[in-house]
Amino acid sequence: MIRAQERAQFPRLLAASVTGALVSAGAVALLGVSGWFITASALAGAVGPAAAQAFNYLVLSAVIRFLAIVRTASRYGERVTGHEAALKALAALRPQLFDGLARGPATRALSLAGGEASARLVQDVDAVQDRFVRLSAPWSAGAGLLTGMVMASLAGWRAAVAVALAAVVSVALGVLMGRRLAEPAGRRLQEAMGDFKTDFAAMAAAAPELQAYGMKDWAVDRLARQGGAVEAAAEALARAGGWLMAGQTLAMALGVTGAALAAGAASPALTALAMLAAVATIESAGNLLNALRQNGAVAVAVQRLGELLDGEAPVAAPAAAAPTLRLSSADLRLTPPQRLAVVGRSGAGKTTLIERMMHLRAPIPGEVAFADMDGAALSPDAVRPLFAYAPQQAVLMAGTVRENLRLAAPTADDDQFWAVLEDAGLAERVRAAPGGLDAPLGENGARLSGGERRRLGLARAYLRPAPWLVLDEPTEGLDAATEAKVLDRLSQRLQHTGQGLILVSHRSAPLTLCDQALTVSGISQNGHIQADVGPLRAAA
């Protein structure tokens, strides 16, 4: 994906490289010509009025001003094009990574905690930004070296060689210290920051429980230790940056001394030019050295992002699987508008079964088939459009009612939103809220009660035009009157839409909507769901 974005942003990256090269060339030439001009002017003034009047300072002043304009304009162009390329690449990478995570194996998505996923999609992608911004660094350093050697050669070829050797020493020290000091520190910082964000997200989610059980101090201490690890890694990276700067300063001193000695019999003005060209040449490698400093963080970020996409690609499948379901373990075959109740003791595997069916968990070969196609051989994209799902624990975005409903139907209008809210028994509550459909819900629907969150999830499922409506404990936490109202509206809705219903519930009232029952008794040693189908009354 990163390589693809580099190709997509090639024109901008090329412009950044060209302007970066002009920055270095202009800076080296500016400093060299300025040093020569100042020295030559001083010597002309020391000789006497005649020499001073004969000295043509106007042309050199114009050259210096031109080089200053070139450097400034090129710097602006480099920053604009380089950062534009990086930001556009990051804007494309995040949706692609999220899409790859959503389409990939369910086991991988389930293995990521919320904080870890956030750290990878935000922090790690941000680290990749340096990869794009620094792609122009080698060109900038190369242009600075070439210009510095040309400028120093005016004082003799030996001076040019001295400048080149100093630049080589600067880069060699940078590579050595970057690999020994900066890269390990950058890796530790990236990993420590990811661990800190993961723990912070977990502690924030468990804040009420931590307060209730008096575990606040324990949580603070744990986060403090994680924060200490982040701080230690950041300090190590800062020290590595200091050593890189020290190496650059040493190489600069060697370059200046070498250029001065190598200039030999050259005029003082040309000697000054060679010395300042050495300074500017070493400085032009600064972006390259900074890239070496960031290599560790970028490398571990790329590695962690790659882990999100590792694994087998989904098997190619038809545009949509058939809505007819077949469960091999229970010899059950279903077609909309049939209605099935999934019952059994807590922990028997009811939710696991329906999540495997919808590819929200990794399916097991031979367990569920769609018509004559094994569900495990189909891609998630082929299976998931068959289902509209209201889970037991509805997850809501920290947005408005409208934004949460729109997840299921991006093109739905307000009339459709109010209709599904009426069917879920939540319209009156939303109308009473300030803003109505635009009322903010808070983090994961914090401004709603548990039953209201469940009903909003139910309304969202109603919006999705799928052959099967899958509801997991849809009336849990509702009083009897509200439950009766919701179930009555659900029955009318199913008759109108012709959808099939797969219902998981421990309550007796919702089960009356179903034609037959699937009793789940457990999960076998090979991972298959053990279940029997029978009349609804017998299951109840």
Side-chain angles (χ1 to χ4, degrees):
M1 287 186 181
I2 293 173
R3 290 295 186 190
Q5 287 305 313
E6 288 177 357
R7 291 191 294 270
Q9 301 301 325
F10 177 77
R12 295 182 179 87
L13 294 174
L14 178 61
S17 298
V18 172
T19 50
L22 288 175
V23 169
S24 293
V28 173
L30 175 63
L31 192 58
V33 172
S34 298
W36 184 90
F37 176 60
I38 292 172
T39 306
S41 299
L43 292 174
V47 171
Q53 291 177 3
F55 186 73
N56 189 346
Y57 64 89
L58 293 177
V59 172
L60 290 173
S61 297
V63 170
I64 290 173
R65 179 166 294 183
F66 171 75
L67 291 174
I69 292 173
V70 168
R71 184 188 63 173
T72 303
S74 298
R75 175 68 73 189
Y76 177 79
E78 179 200 19
R79 293 299 172 88
V80 169
T81 55
H83 284 83
E84 183 181 17
L87 293 174
K88 285 183 176 295
L90 300 194
L93 276 175
R94 283 197 175 95
Q96 290 178 23
L97 287 165
F98 184 86
D99 184 66
L101 181 61
R103 293 174 183 269
T107 51
R108 184 172 62 217
L110 293 173
S111 67
L112 282 176
E116 177 69 8
S118 174
R120 296 196 186 193
L121 289 173
V122 178
Q123 169 190 320
D124 289 345
V125 174
D126 281 344
V128 175
Q129 177 180 353
D130 285 320
R131 177 188 177 99
F132 288 90
V133 174
R134 306 302 176 191
L135 284 175
S136 63
W139 297 94
S140 178
L145 174 60
L146 181 61
T147 306
M149 290 179 65
V150 171
M151 298 293 291
S153 67
L154 298 177
W157 66 269
R158 291 183 178 83
V161 171
V163 170
L165 289 176
V168 170
V169 170
S170 175
V171 174
L173 288 175
V175 170
L176 179 62
M177 287 186 287
R179 290 181 176 176
R180 293 288 182 88
L181 301 176
E183 287 191 16
R187 287 179 176 272
R188 289 197 301 272
L189 178 59
Q190 201 72 10
E191 292 168 352
M193 185 63 75
D195 293 340
F196 177 78
K197 288 185 175 181
T198 300
D199 269 16
F200 181 83
M203 298 299 178
E209 288 81 1
L210 293 173
Q211 292 278 13
Y213 291 107
M215 297 295 290
K216 177 182 175 181
D217 292 340
W218 171 84
V220 169
D221 290 341
R222 182 182 177 91
L223 290 177
R225 288 195 298 271
Q226 295 281 21
V230 172
E231 184 179 356
E235 289 179 353
L237 186 59
R239 284 195 297 270
W243 282 110
L244 284 169
M245 292 180 63
Q248 185 181 22
T249 302
L250 175 62
M252 192 178 297
L254 292 175
V256 171
T257 303
L261 295 176
S267 67
L270 290 177
T271 300
L273 183 150
M275 294 169 65
L276 291 174
V279 172
T281 300
I282 305 303
E283 284 184 342
S284 68
N287 284 341
L288 183 59
L289 296 178
N290 192 42
L292 294 173
R293 177 177 175 267
Q294 300 294 337
N295 271 353
V298 174
V300 74
V302 172
Q303 175 188 343
R304 283 157 54 90
L305 292 174
E307 292 171 358
L308 294 182
L309 304 176
D310 288 341
E312 297 182 1
V315 178
T324 299
L325 302 179
R326 181 168 54 83
L327 185 63
S328 60
S329 62
D331 192 22
L332 174 65
R333 191 179 184 91
L334 290 172
T335 302
Q338 288 181 282
R339 304 176 187 178
L340 176 70
V342 182
V343 297
R345 59 179 174 80
S346 296
K350 302 183 296 297
T351 300
T352 299
L353 174 62
I354 62 174
E355 288 183 347
R356 285 180 185 172
M357 187 183 300
M358 294 182 290
H359 279 234
L360 299 180
R361 290 183 184 269
I364 292 182
E367 185 174 72
V368 178
F370 296 85
D372 296 325
M373 294 179 291
D374 185 356
L378 297 170
S379 71
D381 287 342
V383 173
R384 291 174 185 166
L386 299 178
F387 301 98
Y389 181 42
Q392 187 173 358
Q393 297 293 335
V395 177
L396 303 177
M397 295 195 319
T400 64
V401 174
R402 187 195 311 275
E403 289 169 340
N404 277 274
L405 290 174
R406 190 159 281 162
L407 292 177
T411 60
D413 56 28
D414 286 4
D415 290 341
Q416 292 172 287
F417 292 153
W418 286 116
V420 296
L421 289 171
E422 287 284 357
D423 287 346
L426 199 61
E428 185 177 347
R429 167 71 171 84
V430 174
R431 286 193 181 95
L437 290 174
D438 294 316
L441 299 180
E443 184 71 23
N444 196 23
R447 297 186 181 183
L448 301 178
S449 68
E452 290 170 342
R453 287 198 296 269
R454 195 181 304 273
R455 280 181 284 161
L456 185 56
L458 185 63
R460 186 164 59 190
Y462 287 164
L463 279 170
R464 183 175 172 87
W468 290 102
L469 181 62
V470 182
L471 307 180
D472 193 351
E473 302 288 358
T475 61
E476 188 70 24
L478 303 184
D479 60 80
T482 303
E483 180 182 47
K485 178 181 178 181
V486 169
L487 293 178
D488 180 62
R489 292 294 183 90
L490 174 58
S491 178
Q492 295 178 35
R493 185 174 190 86
L494 291 173
Q495 292 175 6
H496 174 70
T497 62
Q499 287 177 299
L501 175 66
I502 299 175
L503 174 73
V504 178
S505 182
H506 288 96
R507 299 169 69 98
S508 58
L511 300 180
T512 60
L513 296 176
C514 299
D515 308 318
Q516 54 186 328
L518 180 72
T519 303
V520 177
S521 56
I523 303 177
S524 65
Q525 291 184 349
N526 61 7
H528 284 264
I529 300 293
Q530 296 175 325
D532 295 304
V533 66
L536 181 63
R537 181 173 299 176

